[in-house]
């Protein structure tokens, strides 16, 4: 075996090991949820049962928590597109003083964790009387440095001649955004949508800070109430609850997988 083949084999083994590490917990979750027996004691039976899912569905008000998470994640993504796309267009195609420092600020925002700004935002929401509401879950995530960066990379890939031709036809800045930019950034919208929806659908930290009751509980917040080492809910049912929590994201990933990969590839080649 020559050096090239050994390198390829090493890469394949590393990728396979990474796949096993990432998929292992997911497989264990499905095994404990679908198989009869006690997964904690290694007493799983090969008999498939849906009893755990029946009990998991009865443990939570799933239509309500699904609806809340759908409203919160959808509202956040729409707001992020509405705010990030004009900013990205200006940073990519407009010449103005302070453009480069502004873009550097956007890059800095990419590495600031939400825990750093949590306390000021909490007091702001408390002062406005918005705690324990949909607004408290949506408003702090409206601005997204990641979306601005992603859209800017796509807009840079659009030929400048298209903008020049549109200006000669009398197209204004707002119409330019809708008629020229928007059709060319659809893969970026899909990629940004997947990242935004997945991160905010799975977010437990922010609801834990902003919510004091469960009337606007998202899926992770509601699941945390019936899971954990001190929970009286059987472990098999907890695993079925986790599977139900992940089900919408799995369906979403299957539907947009092709667009997601294309969006990531074009982002890497954007500049």
């Amino acid at each position: 075996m020559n050096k090239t083949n050994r390198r390829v084999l090493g890469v394949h083994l590393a990728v396979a090991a990474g796949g096993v590490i990432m998929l292992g917990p997911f497989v264990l979750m499905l095994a404990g949820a679908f198989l009869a027996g006690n997964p904690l004691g290694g007493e799983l039976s090969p008999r498939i049962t849906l009893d755990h899912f029946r009990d998991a569905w009865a443990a939570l008000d799933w239509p309500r928590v699904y609806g809340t998470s759908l409203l919160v994640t959808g509202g956040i993504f729409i707001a992020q597109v509405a705010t990030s796309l004009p900013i990205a267009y200006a940073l990519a195609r407009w010449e103005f003083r302070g453009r480069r420092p502004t873009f550097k600020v956007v890059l800095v925002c990419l590495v600031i964790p939400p825990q750093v700004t949590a306390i000021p935002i909490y007091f702001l929401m408390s002062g406005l009387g918005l705690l324990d509401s949909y607004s408290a879950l949506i408003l702090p995530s409206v601005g997204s440095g990641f979306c601005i960066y992603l859209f800017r990379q796509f807009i840079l890939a659009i030929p400048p001649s298209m903008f020049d031709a549109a200006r000669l036809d009398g197209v204004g800045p707002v119409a330019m955004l809708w008629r020229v930019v928007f059709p060319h950034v659809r893969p970026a919208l899909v990629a940004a949508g997947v990242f935004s929806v997945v991160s905010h659908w799975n977010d437990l930290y922010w609801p834990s800070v902003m919510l004091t009751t469960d009337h606007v509980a998202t899926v992770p917040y509601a699941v945390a109430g019936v899971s954990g080492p001190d929970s009286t809910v059987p472990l098999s049912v907890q695993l079925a609850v986790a599977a139900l929590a992940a089900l919408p994201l799995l369906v979403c990933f299957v539907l947009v997988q092709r667009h997601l990969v294309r969006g990531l590839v074009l982002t890497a080649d954007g500049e």
Side-chain angles (χ1 to χ4, degrees):
M1 181 180 296
N2 57 36
K3 184 177 180 179
T4 302
N5 290 337
R6 287 198 299 270
R7 182 179 302 173
V8 172
L9 179 61
V11 171
H12 287 177
L13 290 176
V15 172
V20 171
I21 293 174
M22 288 187 291
L23 292 177
F26 184 74
V27 173
L28 292 176
M29 178 190 71
L30 293 180
F34 278 103
L35 299 180
N38 180 15
L40 192 61
E43 302 170 353
L44 288 176
S45 165
R47 183 174 64 87
I48 295 177
T49 178
L50 296 179
D51 291 345
H52 302 151
F53 284 94
R54 183 196 60 197
D55 296 338
W57 187 264
L60 290 175
D61 186 358
W62 286 100
R64 182 173 62 82
V65 296
Y66 275 153
T68 301
S69 284
L70 186 63
L71 179 62
V72 171
T73 54
I76 289 174
F77 176 60
I78 292 173
Q80 287 179 340
V81 172
T83 57
S84 301
L85 197 56
I87 298 174
Y89 171 55
L91 291 175
R93 292 301 177 188
W94 284 14
E95 293 292 342
F96 59 91
R97 182 178 297 178
R99 187 177 74 162
R100 294 179 66 85
T102 303
F103 182 61
K104 290 181 180 178
V105 171
V106 172
L107 295 179
V108 171
C109 291
L110 293 176
V111 298
I112 296 178
Q115 290 81 0
V116 173
T117 58
I119 294 178
I121 293 177
Y122 173 83
F123 283 110
L124 176 62
M125 291 295 166
S126 178
L128 295 174
L130 296 178
L131 290 180
D132 207 25
S133 67
Y134 289 106
S135 299
L137 299 176
I138 294 175
L139 290 180
S141 301
V142 166
S144 171
F146 171 74
C147 288
I148 295 173
Y149 173 78
L150 185 66
F151 296 153
R152 175 185 176 273
Q153 298 302 101
F154 268 74
I155 295 172
L156 287 174
I158 302 174
S161 58
M162 297 188 67
F163 294 97
D164 297 336
R167 290 191 188 95
L168 291 176
D169 291 339
V171 177
V174 178
M176 184 84 73
L177 198 62
W178 177 252
R179 293 167 59 180
V180 178
V181 174
F182 192 80
H184 288 84
V185 297
R186 285 175 182 169
L189 291 173
V190 175
V194 170
F195 282 109
S196 176
V197 169
V198 169
S199 63
H200 293 102
W201 184 279
N202 292 327
D203 183 26
L204 175 61
Y205 174 75
W206 206 249
S208 300
V209 173
M210 293 296 172
L211 300 184
T212 56
T213 66
D214 61 353
H215 80 280
V216 290
T218 58
V219 170
Y221 190 83
V223 169
V226 299
S227 303
D230 298 329
S231 174
T232 58
V233 178
L235 181 58
S236 297
V237 179
Q238 293 186 36
L239 294 173
V241 167
L244 289 175
L247 180 61
L249 291 183
L250 294 176
V251 174
C252 177
F253 176 77
V254 171
L255 293 177
V256 302
Q257 179 183 9
R258 181 170 59 87
H259 299 285
L260 174 64
V261 174
R262 180 169 178 262
L264 294 177
V265 171
L266 291 177
T267 301
D269 295 338
E271 187 177 50

